Amino acid sequence: MTDLLHHPLVEFTTEHAPLQFINEHGQRVENQHNAEFDQYLAHLSVEDLKSFYRDMMVVRRFDVEATALQRQGELALYAPLLGQEAAQVGSGRALATTDMVFPSYREHGVAHTRGLDMTKILQLFRGVNHGGWDSFERNFHMYTLVIGSHALHAVGYAMGIQQDAKLAQARGGQEAAAQAAPEAVMVYFGDGATSQGDVSEALGFAAVNNAPVVFFCQNNQWAISVPNHLQFKSPLYLRGTGFGVPGVRVDGNDVLAVHAATRWALDYARHGHGPVFIEAVTYRMGAHTTSDDPTKYRTREEEAQWRAKDPIDRIRRALEDEGVWSEADDAALTAELEGFGEYVRGYVRSLEAPPVTSMFDHVYGSPNALVEEDRAWFTRYQESFVDGEGDAQ
């Protein structure tokens, strides 16, 4: 795996080798390093492994459909996650329902694992609203388009969890506090966000407050058009060390390794040990968004090297080698994906433009006189336009 990480400016040794359970050939890996994490996979059945594969295939189909819809003019923009399915499904499936997730703008696979209908995400990319879902229904916060800022939001939320626990203890005693399910927070960001001051500030706040938060960095090798070697000179998983935050590097294309590392990190955070930094080494096989052209800043050879390490192919080979994936499984999944694709296309094309005054609906959580005054003025302004027949537009 270390060959995936080589760069002249970064010294990668076995010391920095990422955690791995399935290699790029779909073969099981056993070594001293992953033996420490074995216990975090012990609960998985064969059906669980098959469901990991299914989830990754559903997420990829969503990605293909959304990209095509943007090219057809049905979406204004789209941020593909092609190649990052294992990092997102493996980590998302490690979360408890009570944990809170702060995503950036590419975490469609994590949204799927939280039970969110991924098509709702496309309301944002079609431009009909600012999100399309309630953050607290699935404990999955709204997408954040500003790079890295949500790391501070996540730490603030985690510190709130701590305060709530202290209040519960004060009101109900030690026994009541102990019975409450411990919660954790997970924040997702890319390698480019680690160059933002917000992420460093968040690490500092989280460390000194012992906040129950996991920083999950998907190192997909490129911050839009800027490669890793122009962003940092030491492995990213060590970024938290100076702040007192332990880190683990994981093969982000190995869904089992990601799952094990994330379960460990969440347990560590939930039980009062403080924050953890996870670096999932993966690759963004698509564009940063549909508004850029990756052929302008990276080579076909580089893309081909990573396509050979496709995270979905890897788990598929493992299932086949272990004789637990059948032709009937394949036929059922293919039919499901076809139906899902049709649903995504139909949903997006059914979305209509919202009322122009809807931008005033969610400014505050409770009625606000100034906002209502602005709404009334804007309504009168809109009604002041008339068409050729003398009717209001």
Side-chain angles (χ1 to χ4, degrees):
M1 183 63 192
T2 50
D3 61 320
L4 301 183
L5 309 172
H6 175 72
H7 191 279
L9 295 180
V10 181
E11 183 182 357
F12 289 108
T13 66
T14 53
E15 176 189 358
H16 302 302
L19 178 69
Q20 189 180 63
F21 281 91
I22 302 177
N23 66 21
E24 57 264 38
H25 306 296
Q27 300 163 332
R28 293 280 185 165
V29 176
E30 293 183 6
N31 55 43
Q32 186 175 359
H33 185 29
N34 68 26
E36 299 172 18
F37 289 85
D38 249 349
Q39 59 182 304
Y40 297 100
L41 299 179
H43 65 293
L44 295 177
S45 65
V46 169
E47 291 306 312
D48 288 325
L49 299 182
K50 292 164 74 172
S51 69
F52 279 170
Y53 173 65
R54 173 196 169 275
D55 280 356
M56 293 164 68
M57 288 291 286
V58 170
V59 170
R60 179 160 294 187
R61 183 56 181 259
F62 173 79
D63 208 54
V64 169
E65 295 289 348
T67 301
L69 285 163
Q70 196 282 328
R71 297 308 188 203
Q72 294 165 16
E74 298 289 350
L75 301 175
L77 181 74
Y78 178 67
L81 66 79
L82 185 67
Q84 298 180 216
E85 296 87 353
Q88 298 198 10
V89 170
S91 60
R93 291 282 295 271
L95 287 156
T97 55
T98 50
D99 295 333
M100 188 69 179
V101 175
F102 285 79
S104 56
Y105 46 76
R106 201 189 301 279
E107 273 68 69
H108 323 317
V110 183
H112 176 61
T113 66
R114 299 301 280 171
L116 184 76
D117 182 345
M118 286 186 286
T119 54
K120 290 188 175 181
I121 293 168
L122 299 180
Q123 296 180 37
L124 172 68
F125 290 114
R126 191 173 171 93
V128 300
N129 62 33
H130 293 159
W133 65 92
D134 182 338
S135 300
F136 293 102
E137 282 185 358
R138 303 287 180 180
N139 275 8
F140 185 77
H141 202 264
M142 305 301 288
Y143 273 9
T144 303
L145 304 186
V146 178
I147 306 298
S149 63
H150 60 305
L152 285 163
H153 307 162
V155 173
Y157 192 94
M159 291 168 63
I161 289 174
Q162 287 178 312
Q163 295 303 314
D164 286 346
K166 288 179 181 176
L167 285 172
Q169 183 175 342
R171 291 169 179 165
Q174 189 77 32
E175 186 176 344
Q179 288 176 352
E183 300 172 25
V185 174
M186 186 117 94
V187 55
Y188 288 86
F189 51 87
D191 46 289
T194 62
S195 299
Q196 295 290 104
D198 304 55
V199 173
S200 292
E201 292 160 13
L203 284 165
F205 269 107
V208 298
N209 289 286
N210 219 40
V213 56
V214 175
F215 295 83
F216 193 94
C217 175
Q218 292 172 83
N219 179 1
N220 66 19
Q221 313 297 312
W222 290 89
I224 307 184
S225 59
V226 180
N228 272 188
H229 73 274
L230 294 180
Q231 300 181 66
F232 45 83
K233 294 184 71 172
S234 65
L236 273 182
Y237 80 103
L238 299 177
R239 180 62 59 89
T241 305
F243 297 93
V245 177
V248 59
R249 169 177 271 181
V250 59
D251 181 344
N253 283 9
D254 175 358
V255 68
L256 295 188
V258 173
H259 188 71
T262 310
R263 286 197 75 217
W264 165 77
L266 287 167
D267 277 357
Y268 185 92
R270 281 194 199 102
H271 291 95
H273 302 298
V276 178
F277 189 104
I278 297 176
E279 177 193 5
V281 181
T282 182
Y283 191 75
R284 165 170 58 80
M285 292 199 286
H288 172 69
T289 71
T290 46
S291 65
D292 75 295
D293 178 3
T295 65
K296 303 297 183 185
Y297 54 80
R298 67 189 187 196
T299 65
R300 294 294 189 192
E301 290 74 18
E302 176 185 306
E303 292 178 3
Q305 286 177 357
W306 280 91
R307 283 189 183 279
K309 301 174 176 68
D310 188 300
I312 295 181
D313 292 346
R314 188 181 304 197
I315 185 69
R316 170 67 180 254
R317 290 192 198 105
L319 291 171
E320 289 177 338
D321 288 350
E322 293 171 20
V324 296
W325 188 257
S326 66
E327 290 185 5
D329 290 327
D330 216 37
L333 180 56
T334 299
E336 179 184 353
L337 293 176
E338 288 302 310
F340 178 65
E342 186 175 345
Y343 166 66
V344 173
R345 296 191 295 274
Y347 177 84
V348 168
R349 288 169 177 150
S350 72
L351 291 172
E352 297 180 352
V356 292
T357 56
S358 63
M359 61 179 156
F360 299 100
D361 290 348
H362 304 292
V363 178
Y364 291 104
S366 56
N368 180 281
L370 183 59
V371 172
E372 291 309 310
E373 185 180 326
D374 287 346
R375 184 202 301 269
W377 177 88
F378 191 72
T379 300
R380 290 195 301 275
Y381 176 72
Q382 287 292 313
E383 291 173 349
S384 69
F385 293 91
V386 294
D387 61 20
E389 303 295 325
D391 297 326
Q393 293 286 326

